[in-house]
C-alpha cells in the first residue's frame, strides 16, 4: 500500500515532442505528489509538485495531471528538449507528520534531436 | 537560504574497510534528515531518516548505521564495507514546517573494490 508505481522505465522522445511519465499509488492518505529531476552524477532536484485539491498544475513546459479517483498522476513535458534528458522520479507523501517520501523507481528520459 | 553539503564527493574503499560519510545542512534548524542509496541505474532506496538529534529510524537492515551528533549533521557509517555497498549516497533534508518537501545534496559516489 506504500508503493508508488512508475512507468515507463525508459522513454525516448524526439525533440519538440511531448514526454509523458505516469505514476500510480494505492495509499489514499497520500496528499502530496512531487516530481524530481536527476541529471547523471547529481542529486535529484524538486521539479514540480501537486496536491489532490487540483487536477492540474503547470510550470513552464512541465505539467502535472492528477486523477484522484484513479489514484494516478502524470508528468507531461511539452516541447521536449535534449536538455530535459534525465531521470525523473515521482513520489508521494502525507503532508501531516514526518513521513518520508515514497518514490517511484524512476524513468530515464532521452530526448533526441 | 538553505544549503546541503556532502563529503567526500567520491570515495574508493576496499572491501572490509570502514566508512564514514558526512552530511551537513546550513541555513535551517532542526531539519528532518535522510540518507538514500542509489545503485547504478536504479531508484532511490531510503536507508535512514532522523527527525532530531539522536533520533534515527532505519528503513533497511544492513551493515550500515547512521548517527546525528548535531542538529544539522548526519553521518552514515559502516564498520566493514561489502561490495554491495557500492553506489551513490544521497543526503536530503526537509523542514519541520514543510516536512514533505525534500531537498537533496550533491551525493557521494562510493566504489567498494
Amino acid at each position: 500500500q506504500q508503493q508508488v508505481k512508475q512507468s515507463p522505465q525508459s522513454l525516448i522522445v524526439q525533440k519538440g515532442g511531448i514526454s509523458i511519465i505516469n505514476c500510480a499509488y494505492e495509499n489514499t492518505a497520500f496528499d502530496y505528489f512531487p516530481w524530481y529531476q536527476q541529471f547523471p552524477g547529481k542529486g535529484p532536484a524538486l521539479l514540480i509538485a501537486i496536491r489532490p485539491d487540483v487536477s492540474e498544475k503547470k510550470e513552464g513546459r512541465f505539467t502535472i495531471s492528477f486523477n484522484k479517483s484513479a489514484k494516478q498522476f502524470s508528468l507531461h513535458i511539452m516541447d521536449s528538449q535534449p536538455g530535459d534528458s534525465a531521470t525523473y522520479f515521482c513520489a508521494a507523501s502525507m503532508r501531516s507528520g514526518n513521513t518520508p517520501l515514497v518514490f517511484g523507481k524512476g524513468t530515464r528520459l532521452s530526448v533526441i534531436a | 537560504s538553505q544549503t546541503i553539503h556532502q563529503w567526500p564527493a567520491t570515495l574508493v574503499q576496499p572491501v572490509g574497510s570502514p566508512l564514514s560519510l558526512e552530511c551537513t545542512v546550513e541555513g535551517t534548524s532542526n531539519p528532518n534528515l535522510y540518507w538514500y542509496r542509489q545503485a547504478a541505474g536504479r531508484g532511490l532506496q531510503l536507508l535512514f531518516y532522523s527527525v532530531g538529534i539522536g533520533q534515527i529510524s532505519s528503513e533497511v537492515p544492513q551493515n550500515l548505521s547512521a548517527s546525528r551528533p548535531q542538529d544539522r549533521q548526519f553521518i552514515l557509517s559502516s564498520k566493514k564495507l561489502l561490495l554491495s555497498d557500492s553506489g551513490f549516497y544521497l543526503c536530503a533534508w526537509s523542514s519541520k514546517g514543510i516536512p514533505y518537501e525534500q531537498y537533496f545534496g550533491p551525493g557521494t559516489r562510493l566504489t567498494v573494490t
Side-chain angles (χ1 to χ4, degrees):
Chain A
Q1 195 174 16
Q2 282 292 98
Q3 283 187 327
V4 175
K5 295 181 180 179
Q6 183 172 347
S7 63
Q9 196 170 13
S10 62
L11 181 62
I12 299 174
V13 174
Q14 292 278 349
K15 179 182 175 182
I18 302 173
S19 304
I20 302 174
I21 305 171
N22 300 299
C23 285
Y25 64 98
E26 296 180 357
N27 188 347
T28 54
F30 288 149
D31 58 0
Y32 175 75
F33 304 91
W35 285 88
Y36 284 79
Q37 179 188 55
Q38 185 182 30
F39 293 107
K42 305 294 184 183
L46 179 60
L47 184 62
I48 187 173
I50 197 168
R51 299 177 182 181
D53 52 342
V54 295
S55 60
E56 185 176 281
K57 183 174 181 179
K58 184 176 181 179
E59 289 185 4
R61 296 184 293 108
F62 299 89
T63 300
I64 300 179
S65 297
F66 184 78
N67 185 329
K68 188 174 181 178
S69 61
K71 292 185 285 186
Q72 295 176 348
F73 58 108
S74 59
L75 177 69
H76 293 63
I77 306 174
M78 313 299 288
D79 187 26
S80 298
Q81 298 297 313
D84 297 329
S85 298
T87 298
Y88 292 82
F89 293 95
C90 64
S93 181
M94 291 175 281
R95 283 179 284 161
S96 60
N98 290 303
T99 308
L101 291 171
V102 178
F103 282 91
K105 293 188 181 299
T107 296
R108 180 173 291 182
L109 171 65
S110 297
V111 181
I112 55 176
Chain B
S1 64
Q2 299 83 13
T3 309
I4 180 169
H5 302 280
Q6 286 187 248
W7 61 87
T10 60
L11 190 60
V12 180
Q13 291 284 91
V15 168
S17 63
L19 173 73
S20 181
L21 303 181
E22 188 167 343
C23 170
T24 59
V25 180
E26 296 178 354
T28 188
S29 60
N30 195 25
N32 295 331
L33 296 171
Y34 312 84
W35 277 113
Y36 290 84
R37 177 170 62 197
Q38 189 174 31
R42 304 292 295 276
L44 300 164
Q45 180 187 29
L46 179 64
L47 301 175
F48 303 94
Y49 70 97
S50 171
V51 298
I53 294 175
Q55 301 178 65
I56 310 292
S57 296
S58 174
E59 292 294 301
V60 183
Q62 53 203 321
N63 70 319
L64 298 172
S65 62
S67 62
R68 185 169 176 173
Q70 299 181 40
D71 181 45
R72 291 170 290 174
Q73 184 185 34
F74 206 20
I75 296 173
L76 183 69
S77 304
S78 173
K79 292 182 179 178
K80 288 186 177 181
L81 283 169
L82 307 173
L83 283 174
S84 59
D85 291 324
S86 293
F88 192 44
Y89 287 81
L90 290 155
C91 182
W93 74 275
S94 65
S95 71
K96 287 294 188 295
I98 315 176
Y100 44 89
E101 278 190 10
Q102 287 185 20
Y103 297 92
F104 286 84
T108 294
R109 174 75 59 192
L110 172 66
T111 303
V112 183
T113 60

